[in-house]
Amino acid sequence: MEFELDEAIGVLRNTPAVVRSLLEGVADGWVRGNYGADTFSAFDVVGHLIHGERTDWIPRTRIILTHGASRPFDPFDRCAMYEADDGDSIGVLLDTFSRLRAENIDTLGGLNLTREQLSLEGEHPALGRVTLEKLIADWVVHDLNHTAQIAKAMAFQYRENVGPWRAYMSILRPAAR
Amino acid sequence: MEFELDEAIGVLRNTPAVVRSLLEGVADGWVRGNYGADTFSAFDVVGHLIHGERTDWIPRTRIILTHGASRPFDPFDRCAMYEADDGDSIGVLLDTFSRLRAENIDTLGGLNLTREQLSLEGEHPALGRVTLEKLIADWVVHDLNHTAQIAKAMAFQYRENVGPWRAYMSILRPAAR
């Protein structure tokens, strides 16, 4: 697909409702279970998404717009939520994610980014040169990646319960190493 | 997790909202794009879920309750939707899935299944003996499997747009063969 900012925002806007719908009223085992050593539970994923709203997407957008590639992005801590969310309920996390995402979409829309600005470059600490457009495209794919991960963590809790159907369900394959 | 019918129904009830939230208002490319030869688009997945509501889960439940393992399940056509939904809009499919799922959850709840009934056996045409409990557990995992598949089909449309971030996004790996 050609990148269109409005279309990207259309997906970003949906994600809080997607995540909330997946977890609304479900048993705690599905919220807290992961799918193997060093994997995220649904709870962890929502915390990770919150941390991204706070420290990744919009802060990196601002770095590109203000400094270009002369000021590398801060590294993103994939595990910050383990401490930050300790003791919170999933309901609190879902509300926080919805609020932060709505604010960030407002911010992004308010920047009225031009094609020229979308082609501005930033410096990723590991990946090197990227454009603002690629950053926003990755925001979209990152949402979808973690939506699929929530579904996987939930499905894995029933990996024994499905009996022989396990062979048909690709989502039940163990996490790749 | 121990299988609890109420908990399983909790996930089954959420799926129409999950699928609708993923696809609500998004650009057509995300609805219609797949992730490689012989893979489903989001549109195909919703059609497949509809076909399951009509011909798989509740019909198989009734076969087990009425005939046990003496009458094998009818095989499930994984591709029936390609013809059935030709010409429909995604909005029509989402409405149909929501309606059928609500009816089927009503039906399932109305059966007031006992532990003894959940342990009754049926005969799967390929997998052999299964229990009613395993069938319902697989209904849940099948939902989550296809939720993740919608996310994958959508993400794949931006596989080039993310540039070097592609290496970080496991959802962008091509479909397994």
Side-chain angles (χ1 to χ4, degrees):
Chain A
M1 284 168 75
E2 286 290 305
F3 180 87
E4 295 290 344
L5 183 57
D6 285 353
E7 294 182 0
I9 290 175
V11 177
L12 295 174
R13 184 177 287 119
N14 284 352
T15 303
V18 172
V19 174
R20 187 180 294 275
S21 299
L22 275 163
L23 299 173
E24 190 96 68
V26 303
D28 208 46
W30 274 307
V31 176
R32 295 288 185 160
N34 67 12
Y35 52 101
D38 302 319
T39 63
F40 287 179
S41 67
F43 185 88
D44 297 334
V45 170
V46 182
H48 171 78
L49 291 170
I50 288 170
H51 192 64
E53 294 307 299
R54 288 194 168 124
T55 71
D56 189 329
W57 313 107
I58 291 294
R60 288 180 174 189
T61 296
R62 292 198 191 282
I63 288 172
I64 291 175
L65 292 174
T66 309
H67 303 285
S70 68
R71 151 91 161 82
F73 303 150
D74 299 318
F76 180 70
D77 181 355
R78 289 185 63 257
C79 296
M81 72 285 178
Y82 288 126
E83 274 193 33
D85 305 331
D86 195 31
D88 280 341
S89 72
I90 187 66
V92 167
L93 295 194
L94 290 169
D95 289 347
T96 302
F97 176 54
S98 295
R99 177 175 54 77
L100 292 172
R101 173 57 60 91
E103 290 171 7
N104 282 340
I105 287 174
D106 278 355
T107 299
L108 184 63
L111 293 171
N112 293 308
L113 295 170
T114 63
R115 290 264 169 210
E116 290 66 36
Q117 285 175 309
L118 287 169
S119 68
L120 289 173
E121 287 188 323
E123 180 75 15
H124 185 284
L127 298 172
R129 290 293 166 98
V130 293
T131 63
L132 178 52
E133 179 179 308
K134 289 186 171 73
L135 175 69
I136 298 169
D138 189 54
W139 193 357
V140 170
V141 173
H142 183 270
D143 271 14
L144 295 165
N145 199 30
H146 286 293
T147 296
Q149 189 180 30
I150 290 174
K152 186 180 181 80
M154 292 177 70
F156 212 71
Q157 309 315 310
Y158 263 14
R159 66 194 177 282
E160 304 295 345
N161 307 71
V162 299
W165 268 292
R166 187 166 178 175
Y168 286 5
M169 296 290 124
S170 60
I171 201 168
L172 294 180
R173 289 182 202 135
R177 283 286 176 171
Chain B
M1 284 170 73
E2 286 290 306
F3 180 87
E4 295 289 343
L5 183 58
D6 285 354
E7 294 182 0
I9 290 175
V11 177
L12 294 174
R13 183 177 287 120
N14 285 351
T15 304
V18 172
V19 173
R20 188 181 293 275
S21 299
L22 275 163
L23 298 173
E24 189 96 68
V26 302
D28 207 46
W30 273 307
V31 176
R32 295 288 186 160
N34 67 12
Y35 53 102
D38 302 321
T39 62
F40 286 179
S41 67
F43 185 88
D44 297 334
V45 171
V46 182
H48 171 78
L49 290 171
I50 288 170
H51 192 63
E53 295 306 299
R54 288 194 168 124
T55 71
D56 190 331
W57 312 107
I58 291 294
R60 288 180 173 188
T61 296
R62 292 198 191 283
I63 289 172
I64 291 176
L65 292 174
T66 309
H67 303 286
S70 68
R71 151 91 162 82
F73 304 151
D74 299 317
F76 181 71
D77 181 355
R78 287 185 63 257
C79 296
M81 71 285 179
Y82 287 126
E83 275 193 35
D85 305 330
D86 194 31
D88 280 340
S89 72
I90 186 67
V92 167
L93 295 194
L94 290 169
D95 289 347
T96 301
F97 176 53
S98 295
R99 177 175 54 77
L100 293 172
R101 173 56 60 91
E103 290 171 7
N104 282 340
I105 287 175
D106 278 355
T107 299
L108 184 63
L111 293 172
N112 294 308
L113 294 170
T114 62
R115 290 265 169 209
E116 289 66 36
Q117 286 175 308
L118 288 168
S119 69
L120 289 173
E121 288 188 322
E123 179 74 15
H124 186 284
L127 298 172
R129 291 293 166 98
V130 294
T131 63
L132 178 53
E133 178 179 307
K134 289 185 172 71
L135 175 70
I136 299 170
D138 189 54
W139 194 356
V140 170
V141 173
H142 183 269
D143 271 14
L144 295 165
N145 199 30
H146 286 293
T147 296
Q149 190 180 30
I150 290 174
K152 185 179 181 78
M154 292 177 71
F156 212 70
Q157 309 315 309
Y158 263 13
R159 65 195 178 283
E160 304 294 344
N161 307 70
V162 299
W165 269 290
R166 188 167 177 174
Y168 286 5
M169 297 289 124
S170 60
I171 202 168
L172 293 179
R173 289 183 203 135
R177 282 290 176 170

